[in-house]
Amino acid sequence: MRKAWMAGLLLTVSVLGGCGDPTSGAEQAPAPEVPRASATTQQRAPASPSAAAVKAPRVLYLGDSLAMEAQKVLGSELRRELRATYTSAPYSGTTPCDYLEGTGEQSLVPDADKAAALVRAWRPDFVVLQFWGNAWGYTPCMDGITHDADPRTYFARYTADLKKLTEQIVTAGGERRPRIVWVLQGPDPITPDRVRKVNDLYERQAGASGDLVADAGRTVSADGARYTWVRYLPCTAYEREHPGYCTEPGSGRTALHRDDDYLHFCLAPTTSTPRPCPVRSPGILRMAREVTRLIGDRLGG
């Protein structure tokens, strides 16, 4: 069983592991239609003068293939719910060290799209960072360190990179230092303890630097089983109200993953060129709504 899971995951990552240009990719791929808010959702919108006066945020979204597939949906949610100004620069196959300045040719991310460079140029209020953890050594900046070969060194290096990336973002922001939002990941079917530890590192780094965590991974986990991988979950009320999101309405369940891809949440087949997900995918929308909710709560507070 483990070999079958691993083979599926390795095939998926080998297909989506190459970096793609985030601007051209976003322009070329059709965006999935994200439904308008339901009447229930609209009733929750703040109507008071003080709420209406909350400044619309500027949000920058960076990350790996999970961010690549989710970038348009997150942008749609942020714009609709928070009137946000939004931009994204994800690269598939990356890990936090790829976004560090000073990595040069050892990185899959070009200098212009390093986190600090984008913060200086774009002056966001929030920087959303989503990384599954790249445990297999696909990016040169990890210097061949992998989780399977040496977990202790892998986590030590990951911890150091989170701290360094935070410092570079803070320095680049200067007096307008953005809040960093670390997105917690969903269950990993191969090494569940690894993703649990990675999420713990995100929480520790956020606590140390006064930043935020969005537990988007909880929205794609079963109740009471946060780190147990599942392909299907019961439909939410939102998914039942919006056609195309409750993928198996007769059973009241919705699919989070394709049966040939245990890692990603896009329900369209993978391609050799990384792209935003072109079809409605409940897992992507669930996570995007959680990130949006967190940022909205911070603005309202």
Side-chain angles (χ1 to χ4, degrees):
M1 177 64 73
R2 177 180 173 85
K3 289 182 178 178
W5 288 97
M6 181 63 78
L9 273 174
L10 289 176
L11 175 61
T12 297
V13 176
S14 67
V15 171
L16 294 185
C19 66
D21 175 65
T23 303
S24 63
E27 291 297 326
Q28 292 171 0
E33 180 185 354
V34 178
R36 288 186 173 276
S38 64
T40 302
T41 304
Q42 289 173 344
Q43 289 171 4
R44 297 192 193 108
S48 66
S50 59
V54 172
K55 176 186 174 183
R58 294 174 65 83
V59 181
L60 171 64
Y61 184 37
L62 307 176
D64 57 16
S65 59
L66 295 177
M68 173 66 76
E69 67 181 8
Q71 60 183 310
K72 284 201 168 185
V73 175
L74 179 59
S76 295
E77 289 296 308
L78 288 167
R79 292 185 185 105
R80 185 178 62 209
E81 298 295 331
L82 305 178
R83 299 176 295 112
T85 301
Y86 168 86
T87 194
S88 59
Y91 285 83
S92 295
T94 56
T95 202
C97 65
D98 284 289
Y99 282 91
L100 291 172
E101 290 190 316
T103 49
E105 295 182 357
Q106 289 293 105
S107 171
L108 299 178
V109 176
D111 288 346
D113 286 342
K114 299 297 190 185
L118 289 173
V119 168
R120 285 192 294 267
W122 209 68
R123 296 299 177 188
D125 300 301
F126 296 90
V127 178
V128 180
L129 300 173
Q130 181 166 9
F131 297 97
W132 175 80
N134 198 321
W136 296 323
Y138 285 102
T139 178
C141 68
M142 284 294 287
D143 299 320
I145 298 169
T146 65
H147 175 265
D148 285 348
D150 189 349
R152 180 174 296 183
T153 301
Y154 167 83
F155 288 124
R157 173 61 183 275
Y158 210 82
T159 300
D161 287 342
L162 300 187
K163 183 174 185 292
K164 189 178 297 183
L165 185 57
T166 297
E167 291 170 348
Q168 289 191 359
I169 291 172
V170 169
T171 300
E175 294 182 357
R176 292 191 56 185
R177 185 259 209 244
R179 300 293 297 277
I180 298 171
V181 179
W182 296 100
V183 180
L184 303 188
Q185 300 308 293
D188 177 349
I190 300 300
T191 53
D193 288 340
R194 183 201 64 82
V195 80
R196 187 196 301 267
K197 178 65 173 177
V198 165
N199 282 346
D200 180 61
L201 295 180
Y202 292 150
E203 292 186 287
R204 291 188 183 194
Q205 180 57 55
S209 57
D211 288 303
L212 309 171
V213 292
D215 194 0
R218 176 186 54 79
T219 69
V220 292
S221 304
D223 288 344
R226 174 63 176 82
Y227 288 100
T228 299
W229 186 90
V230 292
R231 185 182 173 203
Y232 298 97
L233 281 178
C235 299
T236 64
Y238 184 92
E239 289 161 354
R240 289 192 294 271
E241 292 173 5
H242 295 87
Y245 281 103
C246 193
T247 58
E248 297 188 27
S251 67
R253 300 189 309 169
T254 195
L256 302 178
H257 305 275
R258 289 173 55 86
D259 60 6
D260 59 354
D261 187 341
Y262 310 114
L263 172 60
H264 299 92
F265 294 89
C266 183
L267 297 183
T270 58
T271 64
S272 58
T273 301
R275 60 176 180 170
C277 186
V279 300
R280 290 187 176 187
S281 298
I284 290 176
L285 183 61
R286 286 181 181 212
M287 292 189 290
R289 285 169 60 83
E290 178 60 21
V291 172
T292 301
R293 184 201 64 77
L294 174 77
I295 293 176
D297 285 352
R298 290 295 165 170
L299 292 173

